[in-house]
Amino acid sequence: MLTNVDLIALDAQAVRASVELADRIRPDDLSRPTPCLGWTVYGLLAHMATQHHGFAAASRGDGDLARWKTRSLGDDPVASHRASAEDVLAAFAVDGVLERTFPLPEFDSSFPGAQAITFHFVDYVVHSWDLAKALGVEIEFPPDVLDAALTVAKAVPDGEMRLAPGAPFAPAVPWSGGSRLDEIVSILGRSPNWPS
């Protein structure tokens, strides 16, 4: 687990990066493929919005699985995604959130707030990369964000569990140089060279 870092600030940077990317989406982009197998840009946005609302609910002690069901993004998918990001940023900004217990029904367990927010953080570093790749643009994070995300990525167990349906990450793929972000996504099952 991360220590001696401002986890809330790191998570907020990752979330805001995804929002800035999403704000660039135009209607024709919604059907583009993403590095997330089987997901279009719309599907990725819907997943991210659902996760934001789910983690926000969990931070308040709400473990209802219905909070984690993918929902429609309505007539303005980008605005819906932005609203979900604001929901989770506000929820994580509450005093004492790191010490709370987060019920995470997707894992069928509860976790200390700091650990749960770590899950959210690494997910949004990776999903920002996913979205940037789908849109054909670059994404950059400050070194402290990348250092923390690499620490978390290396702690995520690899192996058979990543082949299970619904697993958050695929098995690690070979990595032989490139950016720190490339290393992070390869550890978590994305090819830095996507779509090739």
Side-chain angles (χ1 to χ4, degrees), residues 6-170:
D6 186 344
L7 182 55
I8 302 301
L10 292 173
D11 182 77
Q13 287 182 75
V15 171
R16 287 189 184 106
S18 71
V19 170
E20 288 172 13
L21 285 166
D23 282 346
R24 299 168 73 169
I25 293 171
R26 299 296 167 253
D28 289 349
D29 295 326
L30 293 170
S31 61
R32 286 180 179 231
T34 72
C36 300
L37 186 61
W39 283 355
T40 60
V41 167
Y42 181 93
L44 178 58
L45 279 184
H47 168 75
M48 291 193 300
T50 299
Q51 292 287 306
H52 284 327
H53 288 307
F55 272 95
S59 77
R60 297 185 285 268
D62 182 348
D64 186 348
L65 186 58
R67 306 281 182 254
W68 298 84
K69 298 293 183 192
T70 303
R71 58 185 79 183
S72 168
L73 297 176
D75 293 336
D76 191 341
V78 172
S80 293
H81 172 262
R82 190 180 316 110
S84 73
E86 290 167 2
D87 183 28
V88 80
L89 290 172
F92 287 2
V94 172
D95 285 343
V97 72
L98 294 174
E99 290 77 38
R100 292 181 179 182
T101 298
F102 282 46
L104 298 180
E106 287 190 322
F107 292 99
D108 199 26
S109 189
S110 293
F111 296 87
Q115 187 175 10
I117 292 172
T118 298
F119 299 160
H120 187 266
F121 162 66
V122 77
D123 215 26
Y124 284 84
V125 169
V126 173
H127 284 325
S128 293
W129 178 88
D130 291 331
L131 191 52
K133 282 290 191 177
L135 296 175
V137 299
E138 294 296 319
I139 178 77
E140 291 186 19
F141 288 105
D144 60 335
V145 170
L146 294 175
D147 290 345
L150 182 60
T151 297
V152 176
K154 287 180 174 179
V156 175
D158 201 359
E160 296 279 323
M161 67 175 51
R162 292 204 194 176
L163 296 172
F169 301 112

